[in-house]
């Protein structure tokens, strides 16, 4: 059947996001796929943020690094 995967983002808050967007109900598979997609996007922004901070000669990622990475 379904394989059990460990995710960084919990599925319940992701389902709530979908509910707040207007869904009456959210299937477990839908929450799982949405969680996977959110994590892909978040990982890309995180990697870009770190790259921006390193380019600026810093070890610390700042809010502005994340905002810049998210605009790309």
């Amino acid at each position: 059947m379904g394989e059990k995967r460990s995710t960084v983002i919990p599925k319940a808050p992701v389902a709530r996001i979908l509910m707040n967007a207007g869904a009456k109900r959210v299937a477990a598979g839908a929450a799982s796929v949405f969680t996977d997609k959110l994590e892909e996007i978040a990982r890309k922004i995180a990697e870009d943020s770190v790259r921006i901070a390193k380019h600026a000669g810093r070890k610390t990622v700042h809010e502005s690094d994340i905002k810049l990475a998210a605009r790309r």
Side-chain angles (χ1 to χ4, degrees):
M1 283 257 151
E3 63 184 58
K4 200 169 190 180
R5 296 184 308 260
S6 176
T7 60
V8 176
I9 302 172
K11 288 183 180 60
V14 170
R16 274 197 303 278
I17 291 170
L18 290 166
M19 300 284 276
N20 289 340
K24 298 276 185 210
R25 299 185 328 174
V26 178
S32 180
V33 169
F34 195 52
T35 299
D36 292 345
K37 294 300 175 186
L38 287 175
E39 286 186 353
E40 286 175 21
I41 294 166
R43 189 172 298 111
K44 177 71 172 129
I45 292 171
E47 289 169 355
D48 288 348
S49 299
V50 170
R51 196 172 300 113
I52 291 166
K54 285 182 179 178
H55 180 73
R58 293 183 273 108
K59 292 181 180 180
T60 304
V61 174
H62 290 178
E63 179 181 343
S64 59
D65 301 328
I66 295 170
K67 287 180 178 180
L68 181 60
R71 277 190 266 164
R72 293 181 174 184

